[in-house]
Amino acid sequence: MKERAAKQTISREEIRGIYQQGEDAVIALVEGLLKKIEQLEVRLEILENQAKKDSQNSSKPPSSDGFGKRTKSLRGKSERQSGGQIGHEGKTLEWREEIDEIIVHRADQCESCGASLVGTEILNWDLRQVHDLPPIVLKVTEHQAEVKCCNHCGLLNRGKFPADVSNVVQYGSGLKGLIVYLMEGQLLPTERVRELIRDIFDCKLSEGTIYNAREYCYGQLETVEQHLKEGMQAAEVGHFDGVRP
């Protein structure tokens, strides 16, 4: 590797010394500096031209282009225009007649003279709609089962909880269904499922809860799966394209 040339510097004392030598010494110094600047400008132009060269505008191989250079695509120009194509049914956000909430923005003061507009007749309404999600929070439902004593026989009677309400505090079928969907439908690992539920619902699930929800769903669908298998075996036509018996 070539050693870089030593940096040339001149001190203020040296400049004063040259100045004291007279006009010719100063002229010689300035001319020397101008010549050096010209040489550096030529060198800089050569280096810039070399940096601009690649496999497209020189004999350099494509491997020398580096990651910052893109090779020219061999794909021909398409006759289709960019964007939606003619005849394609677009999907746009539609105005809804049935709405869930109305927020009124009142005009109570004239923007020109500042006069009060309270009580002034409303001539028309400017309308805009925003389609958005409601606040996403867990809904807590408390089940209360009555406890009554029979006046005739003295038996203590209790109301019956639904079959899926088996614990004092538990997660409901909606959250369990979402957990199974994220794991089986979206193929998310358990840690990603925990992170999503925590960030959106502010609900911290344990890994055991996630696996229990999947096992519960599997148990509930066992009879359904068996019924589907029996129906497929009994069907005259299976519609299994490409499958030979």
Side-chain angles (χ1 to χ4, degrees):
M1 181 181 295
K2 295 182 179 180
E3 294 183 0
R4 183 176 298 180
K7 186 177 181 181
Q8 298 180 358
T9 60
I10 183 171
S11 65
R12 297 175 66 90
E13 289 75 17
E14 292 175 338
I15 296 175
R16 290 192 182 96
I18 295 174
Y19 177 78
Q20 293 174 357
Q21 294 176 14
E23 181 178 350
D24 293 338
V26 174
I27 293 175
L29 174 63
V30 174
E31 289 178 344
L33 292 176
L34 291 175
K35 185 177 181 180
K36 187 64 175 179
I37 292 174
E38 182 180 359
Q39 294 174 351
L40 293 175
E41 288 178 345
V42 173
R43 184 179 179 185
L44 177 61
E45 183 178 358
I46 295 174
L47 293 175
E48 288 179 343
N49 291 335
Q50 290 179 351
K52 293 178 181 179
K53 291 183 179 181
D54 56 21
S55 61
Q56 301 295 324
N57 54 25
S58 69
S59 59
K60 297 177 65 177
S63 59
S64 64
D65 290 346
F67 295 105
K69 304 290 182 65
R70 294 184 178 180
T71 58
K72 185 176 180 181
S73 175
L74 299 178
R75 179 184 297 178
K77 186 177 181 181
S78 175
E79 297 180 355
R80 294 185 177 183
Q81 297 180 352
S82 61
Q85 304 301 313
I86 299 177
H88 175 71
E89 183 180 355
K91 300 294 184 181
T92 58
L93 192 59
E94 298 180 353
W95 185 271
R96 285 181 51 179
E97 298 298 332
E98 297 182 2
I99 56 179
D100 303 297
E101 182 182 11
I102 295 177
I103 299 178
V104 177
H105 304 280
R106 303 188 182 280
D108 292 335
Q109 188 176 19
C110 179
E111 297 179 358
S112 176
C113 65
S116 175
L117 298 178
V118 178
T120 303
E121 179 185 2
I122 300 174
L123 302 179
N124 202 352
W125 293 90
D126 293 331
L127 304 179
R128 296 181 181 181
Q129 289 187 350
V130 177
H131 295 218
D132 201 356
L133 291 172
I136 303 178
V137 295
L138 287 183
K139 177 184 177 182
V140 180
T141 302
E142 182 175 279
H143 293 260
Q144 300 179 349
E146 296 180 340
V147 179
K148 295 181 179 180
C149 182
C150 178
N151 295 328
H152 296 279
C153 65
L155 179 66
L156 197 63
N157 297 269
R158 299 178 181 274
K160 303 297 182 182
F161 289 110
D164 59 343
V165 181
S166 56
N167 297 318
V168 177
V169 180
Q170 66 179 68
Y171 294 114
S173 58
L175 183 60
K176 292 179 181 178
L178 177 60
I179 292 172
V180 175
Y181 167 74
L182 293 175
M183 295 183 67
E184 305 299 330
Q186 297 300 324
L187 305 179
L188 293 183
T190 55
E191 189 59 34
R192 292 286 301 277
V193 174
R194 293 180 60 192
E195 180 181 347
L196 188 149
I197 299 296
R198 182 186 69 243
D199 293 344
I200 295 181
F201 301 101
D202 192 23
C203 176
K204 298 180 180 180
L205 298 175
S206 66
E207 190 173 10
T209 299
I210 294 177
Y211 283 116
N212 289 338
R214 186 171 64 174
E215 289 298 322
Y216 176 79
C217 180
Y218 176 80
Q220 294 295 106
L221 293 177
E222 185 176 3
T223 55
V224 177
E225 180 183 2
Q226 184 62 31
H227 179 73
L228 292 175
K229 289 180 179 179
E230 294 174 355
M232 293 169 59
Q233 294 172 355
E236 296 181 359
V237 181
H239 298 288
F240 301 134
D241 295 340
V243 178
R244 297 181 180 180

